[in-house]
Every structure is written in C-alpha cells, then in structure tokens.
Amino acid sequence: MNSAPPAALAAQRGFDAARKHTPYLAQHRTPYAEALAAHAGRDWLRLNVPGHAGDPAPFARLAALVGEAPLRLDFPPLLEGLDLGTGSPLEQAQDLAAQAWGARRTWFLTNGASQGNQIASLIAPALGSTLVVQRSVHSSVIDGLVLSGLDCRFVSPSVDADQGIAHGVTAEDLARALARAPDAAAAYVVTPSYFGAVADVRALADVAHAHGVPLFVDEAWGSHFGFHPDLPQGALSQGADLVVSSTHKLGGSLTQSAMLHLGHGPYAERLEPLIDRAFRMVQSTSASALLLASLDVARACLVNNQEALGASVAAADRIRGAVRRLGRFAIVSDTFDRFPDVVSADPLRIPIDTRRGGISGYEARALLMRNHQVLVEVATESAVVAVIAAGAAPDTDRVVEALHCLPSPDSKGAEREEGRLGLGLPSPGEARMSARRAFLSATRVVPARDAVGMISADTLAAYPPGIPNVLPGEVVTEAVVDFLQATAAAPHGHVRGAVDPAVAQLRVVAPEAAVSF
C-alpha cells in the first residue's frame, strides 16, 4: 500500500510555496472557527439575516432540533472580522488548508464536491474544446458539461463484472483517449472509487502532462489521504493539477462542505483566475458559516490526530479480519489486485460481498438498519459498503455481530437469490448528441420501454454512488432500463434524475429534434 508522511510534516515543507496572505499559523489553529465562536459570543442585537437572529427563545422548536449553539453561530457572509478583507480569518483558514493538503490554493465549498466538479467543468473550455472524462465520473461532472457546453470523450474504467462495480482507468487507456482528442482541454478521472479502489495518479498525471493538458481528479472519497502513513497518498502529491475533495465524507466536516485544491503544476497560473470566476458563479452568496467553520476544524483534526487516524485504520482492519476469519462473507477489495488500474485500496472503506452469505446487499442494508441500528454507506445487489471516518473508532464487535446475525436462506432460497443477483452493471449506449444539446432540446416523456433506442435528455444515475448509467445525448438501451428499474425497486434504491421514482417513464429527445441534429 502507498504511504505518505504525516500531513503536518508535508504542510511544514510546503509552507513557503503555499503561503499567500496568511502569516505563519501552526496547523493546530482554526482561525475561522475561532473567530466565528468569538463573534457569536458577543452581545449582538441581530437585525439581519438569518431570520432566527441567533435567538433560541422565539425559535424554540428550531433550537430543540439543532441546539442553541448552532443558531448563535449561524452568521451570514460579508462580515468584518470573519470573511472580509485580505488576511481575514476565512482566508487564513483556506491558506492553512492549502498548506495541509499541499495545494497552491484551496477554496472552501458549501455545496459539496458537486460544486467543485461543476467549477472544473466550467473552466475547462478555456483550455480546449473536449474534456477527456472517465465514464464513471460522478453525475455532477456531467451536470458541469451541460452548463459549460463542452464536448467530451470518455475513457472506460475497468469493471468487476461479478460485483457490477466500476474501478478506475489505466494510464495506457488515458493515453489512447488523449491521442484521439488533439483538442483536449483536460483529463478528468476519479480516485478512489466508491468501493475504495485507488488509481495510479502519478502515471495518469504523467500521461496528461505529456499530452499537454492538466489532470483533474475527483478525489471526493479521499479527503483523508496522505494524513497517516497507513493511508494512500493524496492526488496533489502525485502531480494532479486540480483536486475536488468531499471533506465531509471521511474528513469529518459537516455534510455539504467540501474543498477544491489547485496544485503547483505548470497549469496553476492559468487555472487560478478561472477558478476564482467560476467559484463566484456557483457558490451561494449565503454560504453557511457553520459549514465553513467545520472545514477549518476538520483540517486541524486530520493534521494533528495521528493516533486517532491510526485507530480508525485498526478498527477497519479488525472488521475485515473478522469477516475473513468467519468465512460467511467476503471482502470485495481482496480482489482488487485482479485489475491493472488499481494500485491500492482505501483502508477506511469496507466493501463486503453479502451474496456469499446468501443475502443481497439491499436486504442486508435494510435489516442492519431495521434490526440492529447499524447504518452502512451503500448497498448494491451483491454488497454493502461500510465506511469509518478518519478519527472515528466504532464498536467493531457490534458491526461483526450484526452482519453475522443476518438471515441465511436455505439452499433453495439461496439458489433463487443467486439468480436474482445476475443483473450486471450495464454498458452505456452510443453517444449521439452533446450533453448540453440533448438537455436543451425539445423533449418527450415516454414509457421506459418505448425509450429504448431513443436519445436520453436526462442524466440518470443509481444513487449512491451517483455514477451516471445514462447521459444526456446517449441512446437508451434495454439493459440500462432493466438496471435502473431494478435499482429503483430495491429497498432504499434511488435513481437520481428520474422522471418518477419507479423509472416507469423516461425523458428523451423528441424525434424531430434528434433528426434535425
């Protein structure tokens, strides 16, 4: 497994390169969070937004729901002493984050990593006319393509046909795609995957740079990488030029908070002003102070809590070890070495093949939740994925016991179940229009079966993980319809972008619009 020195050391080494307006502050400091707490501690008569004015008395029901402290900390943007002016506490916090992750510059996001993916897609047209994209990117990248109007060329990831999950792309496949796209703006890849597979970012960056384009990395699930020797290295340290980090996932900040990191490579000066402008377009003018402060605190915790991070890895290792030893289930990441694009695995993700134990992932997740009050991140037909946040130390015995209390059907029942689990990840249909053109074309809503052979006007993605199964401009196939309807019918199944929850209908480009194209 790849390893890296603690981020505190990396931050110290990279301090001079990363510093902008912030005087030296130790990484244990949280300048924005500290300033926000001090601001909330003053005796304000608040005659501004938000409407609750930080006063729990007239808003007792809201205070009972979230607590009095969050109300008092909930200040709007553009306040002196918080986020206004050069060297503000917010700017200091972002500079410290840049130092911690080894970035030239970092932006705090309050609309999740989706916002970062949209920014990346919006700036790409300034670099070229085609984005070379891993086909299994998050749906927010495709949303960004709709916003930007950029053409794209896809690189297919490796697929575990047995599990029905996508991993990453090899440097060789990326090189072939870039060779076919002389007008490429950037290469866009995802690592780690939703199941924790880690790609060779160094090799991918070398290929992208050899073709004269930057490497954008959706590292939404790897915000904790590089902060402990037992964790894989982060994408920035391996040559990535722009990295999207969903800090709230495993980094410990509040839901919906994220970061966008700009690397130190040859494209940084060109990209920085473009990112600034795109950031202003998609960032809320009412950014939550709570979310921003949580990013500041999460950074300090990741840098300084080496013992806690080690305990999190040890907890995940205990669960994996118990599952292997008991033998009923299997660990999906144990098969990652069969795929040439996977160089390591995130130790804080625990993908468990429940099918081996005679139960689908969907049923396992529902029963774990209902009978044991154990929540896992996601389920597929064949697996569940558990995650342990960086710094967390869950009751591993409870997890293992709950898993092995799941019912096991008799051989006849298992045989029926095995047949039902045969629905694999569908291959995408042919792309006949750009995402933007299809999205903006005249459309019709038709029964899903009638949509087969027609051009989708929507992005449809089994969610989570949110990887699009059909894109605007792609032909709808029968296999895609089968897969999405099966997903929608499963317990906790959801298809993002669907016209209706059951995916009984699909929105397609009207035939006359498709012909005119």
Side-chain angles (χ1 to χ4, degrees), residues 197-387:
V198 179
D200 188 348
V201 176
R202 173 62 64 187
L204 294 169
D206 288 346
V207 164
H209 296 163
H211 285 81
V213 299
L215 180 70
F216 295 173
V217 177
D218 181 349
E219 198 178 39
W221 283 102
S223 61
H224 55 299
F225 281 12
F227 285 93
H228 189 276
D230 291 335
L231 295 173
Q233 295 179 19
L236 282 172
S237 71
Q238 299 177 80
D241 298 286
L242 191 65
V243 174
V244 178
S245 177
S246 193
T247 323
H248 73 88
K249 285 186 166 65
L250 295 185
S253 61
L254 291 177
T255 296
Q256 202 172 312
S257 60
M259 298 185 192
L260 182 64
H261 304 295
L262 176 64
H264 293 280
Y267 304 94
E269 288 190 15
R270 178 83 185 277
L271 293 174
E272 186 170 356
L274 294 171
I275 296 169
D276 260 336
R277 293 162 66 193
F279 172 82
R280 286 192 292 270
M281 287 178 63
V282 296
Q283 175 78 320
S284 171
T285 55
S286 301
S288 167
L290 291 166
L291 298 185
L292 297 173
S294 76
L295 289 168
D296 197 18
V297 171
R299 181 266 313 155
C301 290
L302 284 170
V303 171
N304 294 291
N305 291 355
Q306 291 293 296
E307 185 176 348
L309 294 181
S312 300
V313 174
D317 284 342
R318 284 197 298 275
I319 294 173
R320 278 188 292 269
V323 169
R324 294 179 186 120
R325 185 173 62 253
L326 294 171
R328 178 181 171 189
F329 304 108
I331 301 298
V332 175
S333 52
D334 286 348
T335 66
F336 282 179
D337 58 1
R338 295 191 289 112
F339 300 91
D341 58 280
V342 182
V343 295
S344 65
D346 178 6
L348 297 187
R349 299 183 69 74
I350 311 167
I352 300 169
D353 185 345
T354 59
R355 174 186 49 188
R356 274 272 301 269
I359 187 169
S360 78
Y362 291 127
E363 292 169 305
R365 182 176 190 247
L367 291 173
L368 286 170
M369 181 177 175
R370 183 185 314 132
N371 297 342
H372 302 278
Q373 290 75 56
V374 172
L375 291 169
V376 293
E377 170 59 27
V378 72
T380 67
E381 278 281 1
S382 57
V384 296
V385 181
V387 300

Side-chain angles (χ1 to χ4, degrees), residues 45-133:
L45 175 60
R46 292 172 61 170
L47 303 178
N48 60 345
V49 296
H52 59 70
D55 185 354
F59 296 92
R61 293 185 67 177
L62 182 59
L65 177 66
V66 302
E68 294 185 6
L71 292 192
R72 295 195 173 97
L73 292 168
D74 189 16
F75 282 92
L78 304 179
L79 288 176
E80 198 70 43
L82 286 179
D83 62 342
L84 280 183
T86 299
S88 70
L90 178 59
E91 191 169 86
Q92 293 177 30
Q94 292 181 136
D95 283 355
L96 283 170
Q99 294 163 24
W101 271 271
R104 171 189 171 101
R105 186 172 169 193
T106 291
W107 289 260
F108 283 4
L109 311 177
T110 56
N111 196 29
S114 295
Q115 181 185 351
N117 283 326
Q118 291 167 4
I119 290 171
S121 297
L122 284 170
I123 67 172
L127 307 174
S129 58
T130 301
L131 192 63
V132 176
V133 184

Side-chain angles (χ1 to χ4, degrees), residues 406-438:
L406 294 172
S408 179
D410 58 26
S411 60
K412 186 175 180 181
E415 194 173 295
R416 289 195 302 269
E417 182 68 17
E418 184 68 24
R420 191 170 71 82
L421 294 174
L423 191 64
L425 191 68
S427 299
E430 176 191 359
R432 292 188 183 168
M433 301 175 73
S434 72
R436 181 180 178 87
R437 178 67 182 268

